[in-house]
Amino acid sequence: MAVTAIVSASAAGAEDMEVMHWWTSGGEAAAVAEFANALNENTEHTWVDGAIAGGGDVARPVMVSRIIGGDPPAAFQFNHGLQAQELIEAGLMLDLTDVAEAEGWADVVNPPSLLDACTYEGRIYCAPVNIHSWQWMWLSNQAFEDAGVEVPTSWTEFVEVAPALREAGKVPLAVGGQAWQQNGMFGVMAIALAGQEDWLAVNRDKNADVARGESYARVFQAFAEAREMAEGLDVQDWNQATNAVITGEAGAQIMGDWAQGEFAIADMVAGEDYSCLPGLGEVAVLDTGGDAFYFPVTGDADLEAAQKELAALLVAPETQVAFNSKKGSLPIRGDVDLESVNECTQKGLDLLAEGATLPSGNELLTPDTINQANDLMTEFWNTPSMTAEDAQERYAQIIEQAG
């Protein structure tokens, strides 16, 4: 594997590098092992795994606490977007511009918005590693066969056949009990049912009038119907909900493409054992969110050189192919070939090639606004007496304040 020129010029001694992340499911662990292998096999350094269970909402506060408390890891995972901006402004993040320029990231990162999300005042502070999109619905072919109905090709068709799933003893829609899952699902439904234009008006332009309007009323009504379709499955973690689809206990799940990693380790074949609908089969589009790694400032010159070496390796072509093939995500490089991919990944690659993409909510909304929406959606999800109209008005107020 080629080593970046900037790293070659300042090669570090062997370092034990603690890397913090929240990838703990079976598929995620298999994917992050590829990063560890790249570091351990191609450098003198050692990957010290700092996995935190519970997802980003649990992990991010721990990571921030470590950093501002003076005990930072060598690197840590955040999502693309605004999550690290305050840390950058405080001077706590390592500037990776020299690595990015030496490696030619600007020429290969696709779409360019991923590198833009790592850029602050013209300097680059993170290494993007994948394109993850929330815009997917995963369906158990066996569950629909057991129910005696065809696998639906859209959300509209899914709603029509959901009663047949229920009659066959299936839970129509698998949803975990965490707020980020419920809010993420709402975002997917908003793009699919309100349309891209209105979704951008709300999330990018902070237009509360659109959030109060007819298109979003349809979304909240559908979200209320989804709440009913999810009754009967009591799980917390997203991968537990995915497993309900894998086993045929549930008909479908709205979840990001990271769910593919779980299907892969279960030896499930796309198109045979499970099906996938980008944009719920209503609006075929990807939001180009994903993950990036940041590197805290430590004042240790040897560790800084090792951090830059790891940053280069994360974006290197071989690492990108190995990691994303296991993760279910798309590579951030436009110059790599994933060779043989399954039909769901190919759908994603086709949409990316067509430019059928949107920015992710993490790139458009502040963490505070996202947390407020998380709280609202989980309250609505767990409070059957709350009406769609009440939830919509409270959501519009959150958007109004964000503006």
Side-chain angles (χ1 to χ4, degrees):
M1 184 177 291
V3 178
T4 175
I6 187 69
V7 171
S8 297
S10 57
E15 296 283 344
D16 289 335
M17 304 183 69
E18 182 187 11
V19 183
M20 300 182 74
H21 60 87
W22 57 80
W23 288 324
T24 58
S25 76
E28 290 172 329
V32 77
E34 296 296 339
F35 283 156
N37 292 340
L39 184 72
N40 296 338
E41 295 174 3
N42 295 283
T43 77
E44 297 179 350
H45 315 305
T46 301
W47 178 288
V48 178
D49 203 64
I52 300 174
D57 289 347
V58 173
R60 280 188 292 270
V62 176
M63 297 172 184
V64 172
S65 178
R66 285 276 303 275
I67 294 163
I68 64 177
D71 181 29
F76 65 95
Q77 167 206 5
F78 265 19
N79 298 121
H80 300 314
L82 304 175
Q83 292 173 353
Q85 184 167 316
E86 291 183 357
L87 295 173
I88 295 170
E89 291 172 345
L92 297 174
M93 294 294 99
L94 184 64
D95 186 337
L96 301 176
T97 306
D98 52 355
V99 179
E101 291 177 348
E103 293 292 308
W105 288 358
D107 298 324
V108 297
V109 173
N110 179 51
S113 61
L114 300 177
L115 195 57
D116 292 343
C118 287
T119 304
Y120 179 75
E121 295 186 346
R123 310 297 293 178
I124 295 171
Y125 289 92
C126 67
V129 296
N130 60 11
I131 301 170
H132 262 319
S133 176
W134 253 104
Q135 309 304 311
W136 293 91
M137 186 173 185
W138 310 96
L139 307 105
S140 166
N141 290 5
Q142 185 64 53
F144 290 96
E145 181 179 336
D146 290 346
V149 294
E150 295 292 324
V151 177
T153 60
S154 68
W155 173 259
T156 301
E157 291 182 7
F158 173 72
V159 173
E160 291 174 353
V161 301
L165 288 170
R166 186 70 78 181
E167 289 173 9
K170 312 290 184 182
V171 175
L173 188 64
V175 183
Q178 296 163 323
W180 69 267
Q181 297 180 57
Q182 293 143 11
N183 190 32
M185 182 175 66
F186 173 83
V188 176
M189 296 176 72
I191 293 173
L193 303 179
Q196 298 179 61
E197 184 177 341
D198 280 3
W199 182 85
L200 284 169
V202 170
N203 289 269
R204 182 190 61 196
D205 304 331
K206 315 302 186 290
N207 189 323
D209 290 337
V210 174
R212 289 189 172 94
E214 292 184 7
S215 65
Y216 264 73
R218 291 195 299 272
V219 178
F220 275 95
Q221 186 56 49
F223 197 53
E225 294 171 359
R227 180 174 61 182
E228 296 178 4
M229 287 189 284
E231 292 177 357
L233 183 68
D234 184 16
V235 298
Q236 277 292 110
D237 296 335
W238 69 268
N239 53 304
Q240 293 174 311
T242 305
N243 188 63
V245 178
I246 290 172
T247 62
E249 179 185 357
Q253 179 190 27
I254 297 173
M255 184 52 60
D257 50 17
W258 48 90
Q260 277 222 91
E262 302 305 299
F263 287 103
I265 63 171
D267 294 325
M268 304 285 279
V269 178
E272 296 180 13
D273 301 309
Y274 69 97
S275 299
C276 55
L277 298 178
L280 306 188
E282 304 285 351
V283 177
V285 66
L286 300 180
D287 65 282
T288 51
D291 303 286
F293 279 85
Y294 290 80
F295 301 81
V297 171
T298 65
D300 182 327
D302 286 341
L303 180 55
E304 179 177 316
Q307 289 171 308
K308 291 185 175 183
E309 195 168 357
L310 175 56
L313 283 172
L314 294 175
V315 183
E318 297 92 335
T319 317
Q320 278 288 295
V321 171
F323 170 77
N324 286 291
S325 294
K326 296 266 180 79
K327 189 68 167 62
S329 49
L330 302 178
I332 53 90
R333 298 185 67 109
D335 61 346
V336 298
D337 184 4
L338 290 180
E339 299 176 356
S340 59
V341 296
N342 68 41
E343 68 173 47
C344 293
T345 300
Q346 189 60 55
K347 287 180 182 180
L349 289 170
D350 290 344
L351 289 171
L352 189 62
E354 294 165 9
T357 62
L358 288 170
S360 75
N362 286 325
E363 296 175 71
L364 302 176
L365 301 172
T366 66
D368 181 61
T369 298
I370 292 171
N371 286 336
Q372 290 181 57
N374 282 348
D375 291 344
L376 171 61
M377 297 309 168
T378 199
E379 181 183 352
F380 176 75
W381 196 258
N382 292 293
T383 312
S385 61
M386 183 184 290
T387 67
E389 292 77 13
D390 289 342
Q392 182 180 5
E393 175 55 30
R394 286 178 56 183
Y395 178 72
Q397 291 172 13
I398 290 171
I399 296 301
E400 207 162 41
Q401 293 165 5

